[in-house]
């Protein structure tokens, strides 16, 4: 997948979320993850974090945990950022500032 296309998908997801449609944002992240090659670790980690942040805000703790854990597997440096506190990512979300 081209980086411009991925960026457009992320921008669209952020727009949906800002307009009160987190379900559509999650769907976009899921589709983007399916389109990305397995070797795109950094991009996959970012998408997983964004999708996990939505799950967390929707009180889907299990879904958030699964996405955050998968993101840390894709990019182990995220473990230091999160330090086991997923609420930190909620507060510093990738698209809701």
């Amino acid at each position: 997948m081209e980086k411009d296309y991925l960026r457009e998908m992320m921008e669209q997801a952020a727009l949906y979320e800002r307009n009160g449609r987190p379900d559509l944002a999650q769907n976009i992240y899921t589709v983007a993850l399916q389109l990305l090659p397995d070797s795109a670790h950094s991009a996959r980690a970012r998408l997983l974090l964004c999708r996990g942040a939505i799950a967390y805000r929707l009180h889907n703790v299990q879904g958030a945990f699964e996405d955050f854990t998968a993101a840390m597997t894709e990019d182990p440096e995220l473990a230091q950022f999160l330090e086991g506190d997923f609420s930190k990512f909620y507060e510093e979300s990738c698209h809701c500032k």
Side-chain angles (χ1 to χ4, degrees), residues 2 15-16 20 29 32 35-36 41 44 47 76 83 91 97:
E2 295 181 23
L15 181 63
Y16 278 133
Y29 291 132
L35 295 173
L36 275 177
H41 299 290
R44 292 181 68 76
L47 289 169
E83 296 174 346
E91 294 166 2
K97 288 186 176 184

Side-chain angles (χ1 to χ4, degrees), residues 19-68:
N19 288 313
R21 293 302 309 263
D23 56 320
L24 294 177
Q26 278 185 314
N27 290 344
I28 289 175
Y29 291 132
T30 299
V31 169
L33 283 163
Q34 292 169 349
L35 295 173
L36 275 177
D38 291 341
S39 61
H41 299 290
S42 179
R44 292 181 68 76
R46 182 173 171 87
L47 289 169
L48 287 161
L49 285 174
C50 290
R51 191 175 72 176
I54 293 171
Y56 188 85
R57 282 190 293 280
L58 294 174
H59 307 288
N60 177 358
V61 177
Q62 182 63 37
F65 177 79
E66 290 171 4
D67 280 347
F68 291 152

